[in-house]
Amino acid sequence: MKHDTALDAPVTVLPGVGDKRAQTLKTLGLETVRDVLFSFPRAYKDFQKVVRPHEVEVGVEQLTYGRLTNLHERRISQGRRVIQAQLDGVLGLTWFVHHKGYGSSFLYRKLQKVQDLWVYGSAKPALFGMEMSSPEFFLRAPKLGLMPVYPLVSGVSNAQRIRWIEAALKHVRLLQECLPEPIKGDYPGRIEALRHIHFPPDWSSQARARERLVFEEFFLFLLGLQKGKERKDGIAHKPDDELVKKYLKRLPFELTKGQADALRQVASDMESPWPMRRLIQGDVGSGKTVVAEYSAVKAVASQGQVAMMVPTEVLARQMVGRMKAALEPLGIVVELLIGNMKDKEQERVRTALEAGEVHVVVGTHALITEKVNFRNLTLAIVDEQHRFGVRQRSALLGKGNADLLVMSATPIPRSLALTMYGDLDTTEIRELPAGRQIVDTRLVDPARRHDVYRYVVSRVSHGEQAYVVFPLVEESEHLDAKAAVQEMEELKRGPLSAVRVGLIHGQMGKEKEAVFEAFAAHEIDVLLATTVIEVGMNVPNATVMVIENAERFGLAQLHQLRGRVGRGHKGGICFLLAYNLSEHSRERLEVVRRSNDGFFIAEEDLRLRGPGDLLGIRQWGQPLFRLADLQGDQELLQRAADKVHELLRDDPSLAAYPNLRGELARQTW
Ligand code: ADP
Ligand code: MG
């Protein structure tokens, strides 16, 4: 495709872009003219009409024009000045500027030379008439229409971005329509959409252009995910043999219907010659581990190896314990591999993996480092609670031609599931094992905090255990961590002085493990934790949970956390202590208090806080899409998903659509 060259030229062909600026642009992912065309405005300034200064309305951004009068400048503090003026004697204007030294500021001197001024801003009522604070101004009439505003980058002005877009748009005719005609339907063509997203003649053209481009973005993303699925041959594991049957016979309980269905589906996936790509979604406590164990035994029975990746070292240790207990009696060798192990020990496990002497390895990110090699990896299990992205999953898969089983404890709304797991087939385990009780959840006024801790002590005196959870403290937030640790120490000395207390926080190293093990062994009655990383913990004797500053957690997180109590037959109780409770926070916490349906809670969380927060991690907070907004554009996402489905059903290899294949090859998800 030789006429694509102008679009694929480096940004340095654009006016005023040298090597240094190209470097800055590269950090934004802008390397070619095409990239620049596909970097969209974050907003627009409405320069469609000019109002007279006496006509400006309150609270809307408007462009106005008039005579500049009453200009003066005052010093307000060391190095700071305020400049004030009026437009047509009716609209007050104020700017604050930094100016060191004597004499007038640069801005003041500039305005002194001006008779008439164009001003863009939002006015508010002032003592006399209206006033605009720090409005943008123009000495010459700006181009009328909608002016794009691009995301801010240090050292690059919006005006420059506009100039580059103008230059890049000169090549836009070379762009191919990538949507097949029946899918494109009534949407504007790609070229028109690009022109209008950058320089819309009016709002309705902007809306149409945006809709087209959002749809295209979703469509290409989902198509890329789906297409990856039917890519290559997989491994056909054996039907259940003696080893697998022995494992099933040893299970200390009846499988729930959901578990049995999941095992059946996994068996059929693993036995088929196509790669398994399956997501098991099930609320906390629904018994997903059985599915992991079963699939692991099945892989080993076919002479395969298994890698199980979990998000944290604590979970890895706990999981390896459970896997050992379930699999070692069958003669299966299970090992742990985490960063926080002695180098020599890691080396030993890696060597054994390469030699095929270890059958199942449980670990953290440490598993996806280059140093880890398998003799015959045929199953990768990712227990993720949303902490791993698509890329990490594929890194693990790349270590062999493996089947993939992903387990997720937080039910997520369909829109997110599509984007995070669009490449996976989904199984839901809906019911909890029999006898499992709903956790009694209470929203407690901090004034009654002491009653809550008295209650904790009384349950402990009956031989039960409790968790007290503090909001997530990131490893880097030293100050926060310190404050939380201090609070924990106070609890330990005060309300909880009569019981055995253990303390876990993010700044701790290996001792964390020891504390947790002591809790599991009931050498500790109450576990105080600053982190939510232990969400996979399973201590059936723990019946009470207190969540401090509950308003700072995501709803899905709260739901997951409380799932840690009441795992036994006694039922659990969870106190949500919220300080500074706003109406909004109260509404959110009420959702968790009233509902025990993880799916409903997830939908509400998405509605109330948006996708980044729902997942509780930065990775997903940063935009996955250039233009699309997962929350606002759900309908388009669904439409795109349907279209992808139709298209692949009719033409799985996209043979009839070379442009589309070319566009997919360009995507960098
Ligand atoms: P999840 O990982 O889905 O949160 P787990 O697999 O950790 O849940 O299971 C939670 C608890 O329920 C464990 O103690 C497990 O042994 C137990 N369990 C799992 N399946 C059943 C079942 N069918 N009947 C009774 N208990 C079960
Ligand atoms: Mg689990």
Side-chain angles (χ1 to χ4, degrees):
M1 280 189 275
K2 76 169 180 299
H3 48 247
D4 263 32
T5 45
L7 288 173
D8 294 316
V11 287
T12 45
V13 302
L14 298 171
V17 183
D19 287 342
K20 186 150 167 271
R21 187 143 283 155
Q23 217 44 47
T24 312
L25 292 178
K26 194 173 170 184
T27 62
L28 302 171
L30 306 182
E31 296 188 54
T32 65
V33 172
R34 181 191 303 273
D35 296 338
V36 170
L37 278 178
F38 281 88
S39 66
F40 301 116
R42 62 172 172 80
Y44 302 86
K45 288 184 179 160
D46 193 343
F47 289 172
Q48 292 184 104
K49 62 174 194 193
V50 191
V51 298
R52 302 304 318 230
H54 68 270
E55 294 169 338
V56 298
E57 290 166 46
V58 178
V60 258
E61 303 215 306
Q62 283 173 309
L63 183 65
T64 177
Y65 163 77
R67 171 115 333 157
L68 191 69
T69 55
N70 293 332
L71 178 70
H72 58 273
E73 178 174 61
R74 259 183 316 120
R75 182 174 174 276
I76 44 177
S77 67
Q78 182 73 37
R80 273 176 58 79
R81 306 283 178 91
V82 59
I83 298 171
Q84 286 176 309
Q86 283 183 321
L87 219 51
D88 281 2
V90 292
L91 178 66
L93 303 174
T94 309
W95 291 277
F96 296 92
V97 291
H98 286 278
H99 181 71
K100 292 232 169 72
Y102 301 97
S104 315
S105 68
F106 177 73
L107 176 59
Y108 181 73
R109 276 180 283 140
K110 190 163 164 180
L111 290 174
Q112 268 185 322
K113 296 183 198 131
V114 169
Q115 282 212 324
D116 299 322
L117 197 68
W118 278 263
V119 170
Y120 180 79
S122 161
K124 54 180 194 294
L127 210 47
F128 303 104
M130 302 276 221
E131 186 184 87
M132 281 188 187
S133 184
S134 307
E136 208 176 331
F137 65 88
F138 309 90
L139 305 182
R140 249 168 276 119
K143 201 163 109 196
L144 294 191
L146 294 169
M147 191 186 87
V149 181
Y150 293 93
L152 220 64
V153 187
S154 85
V156 178
S157 73
N158 199 51
Q160 277 169 317
R161 295 282 303 255
I162 289 177
R163 222 171 321 124
W164 296 336
I165 297 282
E166 281 170 345
L169 277 173
K170 295 211 174 92
H171 305 291
V172 76
R173 270 171 296 110
L174 302 178
L175 204 66
Q176 312 265 5
E177 176 57 71
C178 61
L179 297 180
E181 193 51 41
I183 286 178
K184 177 182 162 289
D186 292 337
Y187 287 130
R190 211 174 188 209
I191 293 173
E192 180 187 320
L194 272 177
R195 284 201 173 113
H196 286 178
I197 196 79
H198 290 294
F199 300 110
D202 51 51
W203 284 114
S204 85
S205 319
Q206 188 274 342
R208 275 162 45 79
R210 183 181 182 281
E211 199 175 320
R212 143 83 206 213
L213 292 167
V214 167
F215 175 82
E216 173 183 317
E217 199 171 23
F218 283 143
F219 180 79
L220 292 174
F221 176 79
L222 295 174
L223 189 61
L225 282 180
Q226 296 285 330
K227 245 201 127 262
K229 232 171 25 179
E230 39 88 61
R231 183 183 40 180
K232 55 174 184 186
D233 293 348
I235 302 137
H237 290 92
K238 282 196 299 198
D240 287 358
D241 66 355
E242 283 313 309
L243 191 69
V244 182
K245 288 185 184 140
K246 201 163 146 199
Y247 162 76
L248 290 172
K249 222 176 284 155
R250 285 175 44 91
L251 279 177
F253 42 67
E254 286 279 306
L255 293 176
T256 64
K257 182 180 172 303
Q259 284 172 321
D261 288 345
L263 292 200
R264 252 195 305 281
Q265 246 158 356
V266 166
S268 125
D269 287 351
M270 287 182 72
E271 288 164 25
S272 102
W274 308 113
M276 169 168 77
R277 298 287 178 265
R278 185 162 297 277
L279 167 69
I280 307 286
Q281 265 203 47
D283 230 331
V284 266
S286 60
K288 295 182 293 297
T289 311
V290 168
V291 185
E293 289 168 2
Y294 167 81
S295 61
V297 178
K298 201 167 164 67
V300 174
S302 289
Q303 277 70 51
Q305 284 174 299
V306 182
M308 178 165 191
M309 184 159 72
V310 304
T312 67
E313 303 206 335
V314 172
L315 288 178
R317 282 181 192 277
Q318 202 199 346
M319 186 53 79
V320 86
R322 291 176 76 176
M323 290 298 240
K324 280 188 174 183
L327 307 189
E328 280 183 349
L330 306 169
I332 296 175
V333 181
V334 182
E335 291 279 7
L336 178 71
L337 188 63
I338 55 179
N340 205 347
M341 260 162 55
K342 286 213 182 72
D343 285 348
K344 251 171 110 182
E345 179 64 5
Q346 289 190 39
E347 187 56 46
R348 182 187 69 76
V349 174
R350 284 198 299 260
T351 311
L353 273 174
E354 228 169 318
E357 290 154 11
V358 169
H359 303 119
V360 178
V361 63
V362 179
T364 52
H365 293 84
L367 289 176
I368 51 179
T369 57
E370 275 170 27
K371 282 186 275 184
V372 180
N373 293 300
F374 294 84
R375 204 171 78 96
N376 183 28
L377 180 71
T378 68
L379 175 67
I381 306 173
V382 179
D383 189 2
E384 68 173 6
Q385 284 120 16
H386 307 310
R387 283 181 173 84
F388 298 112
V390 175
R391 275 190 207 106
Q392 285 155 317
R393 288 208 297 264
S394 51
L396 186 60
L397 281 177
K399 301 212 171 270
N401 182 17
D403 277 348
L404 172 69
L405 186 66
V406 178
M407 301 196 296
S408 168
T410 314
I412 54 174
R414 191 165 153 65
S415 60
L416 282 174
L418 268 174
T419 53
M420 294 177 64
Y421 300 119
D423 55 336
L424 307 180
D425 304 314
T426 304
T427 301
E428 278 171 16
I429 302 184
R430 280 285 182 159
E431 68 268 78
L432 299 183
R436 193 63 51 73
Q437 288 169 30
I438 286 175
V439 178
D440 177 3
T441 303
R442 311 203 180 168
L443 192 52
V444 185
D445 194 284
R448 299 195 46 209
R449 187 165 180 257
H450 275 274
D451 296 338
V452 167
Y453 285 109
R454 256 201 297 280
Y455 180 82
V456 168
V457 173
S458 94
R459 293 288 283 254
V460 166
S461 71
H462 287 92
E464 295 166 30
Q465 286 168 279
Y467 300 96
V468 182
V469 186
F470 294 80
L472 176 76
V473 174
E474 303 204 355
E475 312 291 321
S476 57
E477 291 175 343
H478 277 281
L479 273 179
D480 238 22
K482 230 167 138 183
V485 171
Q486 211 167 344
E487 256 188 83
M488 297 199 293
E489 294 287 356
E490 272 161 30
L491 272 181
K492 194 170 159 178
R493 279 196 306 269
L496 297 179
S497 57
V499 301
R500 296 170 300 173
V501 169
L503 209 142
I504 288 183
H505 58 82
Q507 309 275 299
M508 278 163 77
K510 280 193 219 123
E511 320 97 88
K512 235 181 347 201
E513 264 64 69
V515 177
F516 175 65
E517 271 152 32
F519 184 68
H522 202 171
E523 287 152 17
I524 286 173
D525 301 308
V526 181
L527 185 65
L528 310 185
T530 54
T531 56
V532 293
I533 55 169
E534 288 80 12
V535 285
M537 290 197 323
N538 185 29
V539 179
N541 192 47
T543 53
V544 187
M545 177 171 284
V546 181
I547 302 183
E548 290 273 357
N549 289 101
E551 75 281 4
R552 286 173 59 182
F553 289 87
L555 299 190
Q557 277 177 320
L558 289 173
H559 179 60
Q560 242 186 16
L561 278 170
R562 72 176 162 185
R564 297 300 115 202
V565 294
R567 308 205 109 208
H569 46 274
K570 285 186 193 126
I573 184 163
C574 174
F575 297 100
L576 305 177
L577 283 170
Y579 306 80
N580 313 317
L581 199 58
S582 68
E583 236 348 274
H584 181 71
S585 330
R586 174 175 293 279
E587 189 193 344
R588 293 183 53 237
L589 293 179
E590 277 294 322
V591 171
V592 180
R593 191 185 65 73
R594 278 195 316 257
S595 170
N596 202 53
D597 178 345
F599 282 90
F600 173 74
I601 290 172
E603 292 286 354
E604 286 296 288
D605 207 8
L606 180 67
R607 187 173 69 77
L608 293 166
R609 294 210 312 174
D613 280 333
L614 169 65
L615 302 171
I617 42 167
R618 289 302 134 232
Q619 204 180 340
W620 289 97
Q622 80 189 9
L624 180 60
F625 299 104
R626 277 178 288 233
L627 194 58
D629 157 26
L630 274 183
Q631 204 175 354
D633 295 318
Q634 291 197 33
E635 269 173 49
L636 283 170
L637 177 64
Q638 190 55 57
R639 210 180 109 79
D642 295 343
K643 292 290 171 191
V644 164
H645 187 72
E646 276 171 38
L647 187 70
L648 286 178
R649 191 190 49 206
D650 299 340
D651 184 359
S653 59
L654 304 178
Y657 308 106
N659 284 355
L660 188 52
R661 290 202 312 271
E663 203 54 50
L664 275 181
R666 239 178 241 119
Q667 299 293 312
T668 51
W669 300 108

